[in-house]
Amino acid sequence: MPRQTIRRAIGALAPLALTLVPTATLLAQSAPPLTPAGKPVPETAPDGRHYLSQPLTTQIYTADPSAHVFAGKIYVYPSHDVPTDIPDDDLGNEYAMHDYRVLGMDRIGGPVTVGPVALDVKDVPWASKQMWAPDAAYRNGTYYLYFPARDRVLDKNGLGTFRIGVATARNPMGPFKAEAAPIPGSFSMDPAVFTDADGRTFMYFGGIWGGQLQRWASGRFDRNGSDTDLHRDDQPALSGKVVRMNPDMKTFAEKPRDAVILDPATGKPVLGGAHDKRFFEASWVFRRNGLYYYTYSTGDTHFLNYATGSNPYGPFTYRGHILKPVQGWTTHHSIIEWNGKWWLFYADTQMSNRNHLRNVKVTELHFDPDGTIPAIDPLVN
């Protein structure tokens, strides 16, 4: 065949090739990702609204994301949700998580690596079940994983008492080796660790209802106490706890204190009946422009809130909502600064629409010039 004829034939085919390749690419891109159950990830919420952001990973179910920047890379330490037929209850029995897997990414919006099992409850000598929301820290070449789990001393419901444990590793993704016993003096759940500019490290922790904080109101654990709260709506609400850590990062340097939240209208502690303001669980603290932001979940009213103070111990004055209710019952978060911006990590139930099978997400957090935070709606029209 003459060269001119070959060139004409190729020229005639070229537009067809250019048309076919993008079409195939678009078809591949339009195929929705699959959930761990093998079903397409829903594009819209049951009420028809759209999700503000998408799951960081669809490989496993994850919740309670504690994000950190270690050596310029972002690591997220979430709960690892698992399927179960246990019905929802006030004790949180349906949250039957038993191990942790760490998520890693080089940048926000980039590929996410799901690490292998970082720690399993069967490898924690003192724990019986339910490894809930963890956090992590780094000091002097060692990574510390802090986690709540039930011990083996049973209460009136046949459930162990929540304690906070610590495990260590040389790699931020683990595997972590747990200490033989929980942190002395620790109790309840949701540890969050904050290191201040002066090098002091603080742990914030606690949660009512399934987190059992209400059973420690007297200073000792009441195995027959309330399963929810103290039912004292006209009294100061139960506070989350704050405690300074020893340099070993494995023990408390003092007795835990109340992280008190004040009502700006009265200057007095928020009352137990103010369910849209009072502390429920999920403490997280960061510092910005010299101000300490104490953030937390309101639980049964499903908000993420923030309060501010001039001291890492508090008191903190209530300021408002950070995140409006997500799809699903629980809301638990973390906030980091990365690449000159602030980011909110949270979770909802987009992949499953079941309270105990969640997926972590991230969205940018904005600040007004006076330091206040506009509330984010996780669902948009």
Side-chain angles (χ1 to χ4, degrees):
M1 183 181 292
R3 288 183 181 179
Q4 256 187 333
T5 306
I6 293 173
R7 287 195 191 100
R8 283 198 296 269
I10 292 173
L13 288 171
L16 179 60
L18 289 171
T19 302
L20 290 174
V21 172
T23 301
T25 303
L26 287 171
L27 287 172
Q29 291 176 345
S30 66
L34 300 180
T35 71
K39 298 179 180 180
V41 175
E43 296 182 358
T44 57
D47 65 2
R49 290 188 292 169
H50 292 265
Y51 299 100
L52 178 65
S53 56
Q54 293 297 309
L56 289 182
T57 179
T58 61
Q59 295 180 39
I60 58 174
Y61 294 110
T62 51
D64 314 320
S66 291
H68 291 273
V69 179
F70 294 137
K73 187 172 180 177
I74 301 165
Y75 295 91
V76 183
Y77 298 82
S79 300
H80 176 201
D81 285 349
V82 294
T84 178
D85 293 327
I86 300 172
D88 293 1
D89 63 30
D90 292 344
L91 300 174
N93 282 308
E94 68 273 23
Y95 302 107
M97 305 88 90
H98 60 79
D99 66 7
Y100 297 112
R101 298 180 68 178
V102 185
L103 310 181
M105 64 186 88
D106 293 323
R107 59 182 177 84
I108 301 290
V112 176
T113 299
V114 180
V117 173
L119 182 66
D120 193 291
V121 71
K122 65 181 176 58
D123 297 319
V124 181
W126 57 269
S128 62
K129 61 189 295 186
Q130 286 184 297
M131 300 182 82
W132 285 3
D135 193 18
Y138 171 80
R139 177 169 288 186
N140 297 332
T142 299
Y143 295 91
Y144 297 84
L145 180 69
Y146 301 96
F147 60 93
R150 295 188 187 274
D151 66 16
R152 301 177 187 278
V153 180
L154 305 185
D155 66 4
K156 65 177 182 179
N157 300 307
L159 299 170
T161 305
F162 267 111
R163 305 283 182 177
I164 296 172
V166 58
T168 56
R170 291 293 180 179
N171 188 304
M173 299 192 81
F176 290 84
K177 180 175 176 56
E179 295 292 302
I183 297 174
S186 69
F187 55 92
S188 195
M189 64 174 189
D190 288 359
V193 177
F194 165 74
T195 298
D196 208 349
D198 60 6
R200 291 185 302 167
T201 296
F202 300 86
M203 178 183 288
Y204 300 81
F205 66 92
I208 60 175
W209 290 34
Q212 303 175 331
L213 188 61
Q214 68 280 358
R215 297 199 190 178
W216 290 92
S218 68
R220 299 182 63 181
F221 185 70
D222 180 0
R223 67 182 303 275
N224 296 309
S226 170
D227 288 339
T228 53
D229 59 27
L230 296 179
H231 306 290
R232 299 173 186 169
D233 286 357
D234 60 345
Q235 298 296 314
L238 286 164
S239 296
K241 302 296 180 180
V242 54
V243 61
R244 183 167 56 84
M245 303 288 291
N246 278 317
D248 67 2
M249 300 291 281
K250 297 179 180 180
T251 54
F252 294 161
E254 58 192 2
K255 183 178 179 180
R257 313 180 191 185
D258 286 343
V260 177
I261 300 169
L262 302 177
D263 189 323
T266 64
K268 297 179 180 180
V270 167
L271 298 180
H275 285 211
D276 62 337
K277 294 181 180 179
R278 62 95 172 90
F279 171 81
F280 187 101
E281 62 186 3
S283 300
W284 185 268
V285 170
F286 65 94
R287 187 177 180 181
R288 181 180 181 272
N289 295 339
L291 197 63
Y292 296 89
Y293 287 74
Y294 179 71
T295 66
Y296 58 95
S297 171
T298 65
D300 57 352
T301 50
H302 318 295
F303 290 106
L304 288 181
N305 284 356
Y306 77 109
T308 59
S310 59
N311 190 299
Y313 286 111
F316 303 96
T317 300
Y318 172 80
R319 298 300 181 194
H321 303 317
I322 292 175
L323 185 70
K324 296 179 181 180
V326 299
Q327 178 182 308
W329 203 94
T330 63
T331 186
H332 190 131
H333 68 298
S334 60
I335 296 168
I336 63 170
E337 185 180 15
W338 184 80
N339 201 25
K341 297 180 179 180
W342 290 86
W343 302 90
L344 171 69
F345 290 77
Y346 65 103
D348 65 15
T349 61
Q350 177 179 351
M351 292 201 303
S352 71
N353 199 25
R354 300 189 67 185
N355 288 331
H356 70 286
L357 295 176
R358 297 157 290 181
N359 42 256
V360 299
K361 300 183 170 187
V362 64
T363 191
E364 188 176 351
L365 187 71
H366 296 279
F367 294 83
D368 287 332
D370 62 358
T372 55
I373 303 174
I376 296 169
D377 194 332
L379 293 164
V380 294
N381 293 318

